[in-house]
Amino acid sequence: IDSIEHGLFLTADDVATLGDRGGAWVPTIGAMEATRDELGPSSSGGRLFAQGLDNVRSLLAGAPDLGVAVLAGTDLQLAHGQVAAEALRLHEYGLTPPQVVAALTTTAYDHLGRPAPFEAGQPADVVFFDADPRDDLTTLSRPVLALRHGVAVVGADRVPAELRPDRGRSP
């Protein structure tokens, strides 16, 4: 097993084994909360999901220390570009702000054994903020500039015309 998605009913032993194997856990908390809410809090399914989410809350904080690569995922429950909402949930469920930022950024590269593709001359996938999100995770929902393969997809108006691949035309 390389990764576990959701993992509502993992045990402490499961998490330790996953860490020993260098595995990843994508809890998709927002998606699981939405399913719980759709089922209704008093339904048997809603109660089951609530128990599973309580279990995630009890295990998540210790998972990185056991070697588990915790990753942020939305399972398409959140709108495209809204992974910052999942970041807040990861923090609420026990990860520290630096662990949350890593779950959204470098942890996946590390888990896959790939260097983060951020080298001079290479197209960049990078997001810029006006403050350090590790100091305030809500900053993640307010990117100033985002580049995908070196092209501005958020905040293109902030990129000087001479630096745009299209030399000034709007992307």
Side-chain angles (χ1 to χ4, degrees):
I1 295 173
D2 185 53
S3 70
I4 294 180
E5 285 61 44
H6 317 307
L8 292 179
F9 296 101
L10 292 172
T11 66
D13 287 342
D14 295 335
V15 174
T17 299
L18 187 62
D20 289 343
R21 296 177 63 134
W25 181 13
V26 189
T28 62
I29 296 167
M32 299 300 92
E33 288 176 339
T35 302
R36 174 203 59 204
D37 296 346
E38 289 169 10
L39 292 170
S42 61
S43 73
S44 59
R47 290 191 310 272
L48 186 66
F49 268 77
Q51 290 170 359
L53 286 162
D54 287 343
N55 186 56
V56 169
R57 189 181 305 271
S58 74
L59 297 172
L60 189 60
D65 292 337
L66 294 171
V68 175
V70 178
L71 304 172
T74 65
D75 231 14
L76 301 177
Q77 177 61 38
L78 300 172
H80 179 73
Q82 298 301 312
V83 73
E86 182 70 9
L88 296 176
R89 287 179 175 94
L90 289 169
H91 180 58
E92 177 187 329
Y93 277 66
L95 294 186
T96 67
Q99 289 171 327
V100 169
V101 171
L104 271 70
T105 58
T106 57
T107 301
Y109 289 109
D110 295 341
H111 175 65
L112 295 172
R114 297 182 57 177
F118 197 71
E119 299 175 14
Q122 297 299 312
D125 291 341
V126 64
V127 182
F128 296 91
F129 302 95
D130 61 4
D132 188 336
R134 295 170 299 181
D135 296 332
D136 176 6
L137 289 172
T138 64
T139 301
L140 292 166
S141 65
R142 299 182 305 277
V144 173
L145 175 66
L147 303 177
R148 175 78 175 127
H149 297 296
V151 176
V153 293
V154 171
D157 57 316
R158 296 174 185 257
V159 177
E162 65 273 10
L163 296 179
R164 293 186 196 159
D166 58 5
R167 300 293 184 253
R169 295 183 304 275
S170 296

